[in-house]
Amino acid sequence: MSKVDNEIRGRLALITGASGGIGSACARDLWANGASLALTYYNNRQPVDELAHELLKSPGSEGLRISCHKVDTGSAEDIERLFLEIKKQHGQDGPDILISNAGYGKRRTGILDVSLEEFDYMININLRASFILAKLSIPHMEAQKWGRIIFVSSIAAQGGGINACHYAASKAGLTGLMKNLAMKHAKLGITANDIAPAMIGETGMIPDAAFVEGTPGDVKNIPVGRLGTPQECANAVTMLCRTGYITGQSILLSGGLK
Ligand SMILES: NC(=O)c1ccc[n+]([C@@H]2O[C@H](COP(=O)([O-])OP(=O)(O)OC[C@H]3O[C@@H](n4cnc5c(N)ncnc54)[C@H](OP(=O)(O)O)[C@@H]3O)[C@@H](O)[C@H]2O)c1
């Protein structure tokens, strides 16, 4: 039997959308577990700079590195440039851990409100980006026979949530992509999973409970009676990184919402 290796200390984690609620919580948690970080932002540089500054000052971070990169995940060229920057700043061809989290949501009531341009835009950012990121990450992971790929999907992948059909399609596509990668790359030490959150507060998407009052995601309808937290998403992400026996799974974080 091959040796079990769930060590994430000293690994490099690439987290897209680290300027947002869930991405920044994942960055903190993986850093606390000893990972170096490559963090991306798009419009909001300041939160990522502040996060990097804070983490680098924290005790126990000797020998760890953080790099920050501006990336539009809708652009293949931007993602390719990101990998060149990672090579330059971390000395490796790709990350050991990929957290493809950057995403975009649009609340619309029905398919008739979604234009073709809007559909393509959503798919590029939420689904195509994860395909490109995984494709660029896997050669390094295969070479070292160790890798963790985690997509941030959504309850919308199963038909729930408050977003429109193109968001649901993009997130369901992520789950299909993840399951295929999990089966194809398991023998090479690479696991692939997704987390499927619903109604996570302290994020740009759901700033607070008042934001969703009167919608299907109203806190009144959530069995545990509250929004989820970015830290709870990060807990699941770190657990998946540290548990190589889990692959091909979508972990629903929804407070009991179906
Ligand atoms: N909050 C929820 O309840 C919930 C539920 C299910 C799934 N999710 C998923 O969780 C992920 C993180 O969202 P969040 O809830 O943490 O919301 P958030 O705080 O708004 O974060 C969104 C992140 O995505 C980045 N982003 C958006 N468009 C981008 C683009 N074109 N290129 C690169 N980065 C882009 C943003 O970067 P800038 O701010 O720098 O522009 C930001 O870092 C998303 O994939 C979302 O679909 C969230």
Side-chain angles (χ1 to χ4, degrees):
M1 201 174 89
S2 56
K3 193 174 153 287
V4 175
D5 182 1
N6 282 313
E7 185 57 74
I8 59 174
R9 187 161 294 277
R11 307 273 189 196
L12 172 62
L14 165 59
I15 303 169
T16 64
S19 44
I22 294 174
S24 60
C26 291
R28 282 175 198 285
D29 214 67
L30 288 170
W31 180 261
N33 281 276
S36 285
L37 304 173
L39 305 176
T40 83
Y41 61 93
Y42 181 33
N43 292 307
N44 294 300
R45 178 181 184 144
Q46 196 181 341
V48 164
D49 280 348
E50 286 174 2
L51 177 63
H53 187 69
E54 176 201 322
L55 294 181
L56 283 167
K57 280 198 316 198
S58 61
S61 48
E62 298 74 24
L64 300 181
R65 284 165 181 246
I66 304 183
S67 59
C68 302
H69 313 263
K70 180 174 171 73
V71 176
D72 173 4
T73 55
S75 155
E77 293 73 28
D78 268 25
I79 300 176
E80 281 159 11
R81 182 181 39 78
L82 165 67
F83 277 70
L84 294 177
E85 290 175 10
I86 286 176
K87 173 80 176 166
K88 216 170 174 180
Q89 298 192 38
H90 296 273
Q92 55 188 76
D93 291 329
D96 309 308
I97 296 169
L98 166 63
I99 314 295
S100 181
N101 160 76
Y104 155 79
K106 197 99 183 175
R107 283 194 277 156
R108 296 269 172 86
T109 47
I111 190 169
L112 300 184
D113 295 321
V114 180
S115 69
L116 200 50
E117 291 72 29
E118 167 69 22
F119 181 88
D120 288 345
Y121 184 70
M122 178 78 75
I123 295 293
N124 272 354
I125 293 171
N126 285 6
L127 175 58
R128 192 181 76 149
S130 290
F131 162 75
I132 301 170
L133 286 161
K135 189 170 170 168
L136 293 174
S137 297
I138 280 176
H140 166 75
M141 294 177 178
E142 279 193 353
Q144 64 177 10
K145 298 198 167 41
W146 196 97
R148 300 284 186 262
I149 296 174
I150 299 166
F151 298 147
V152 179
S153 176
S154 167
I155 192 174
Q158 302 174 21
I162 58 174
N163 280 289
C165 62
H166 57 330
Y167 180 82
S170 70
K171 295 298 188 178
L174 279 181
T175 301
L177 177 62
M178 170 279 284
K179 284 183 182 286
N180 182 285
L181 295 178
M183 290 309 106
K184 299 263 167 65
H185 297 278
K187 288 234 163 17
L188 289 159
I190 302 170
T191 67
N193 294 285
D194 73 48
I195 63 162
M199 314 316 297
I200 307 301
E202 306 159 36
T203 61
M205 288 201 178
I206 315 272
D208 55 46
F211 186 74
V212 288
E213 270 173 19
T215 74
D218 194 316
V219 171
K220 287 199 290 294
N221 303 321
I222 301 176
V224 303
R226 63 170 174 85
L227 299 178
T229 67
Q231 180 63 52
E232 289 172 313
C233 295
N235 293 345
V237 164
T238 299
M239 180 276 289
L240 290 169
C241 292
R242 300 185 62 180
T243 314
Y245 206 53
I246 301 179
T247 194
Q249 303 304 309
S250 181
I251 311 277
L252 189 60
L253 283 127
S254 69
L257 261 186
K258 292 206 169 82

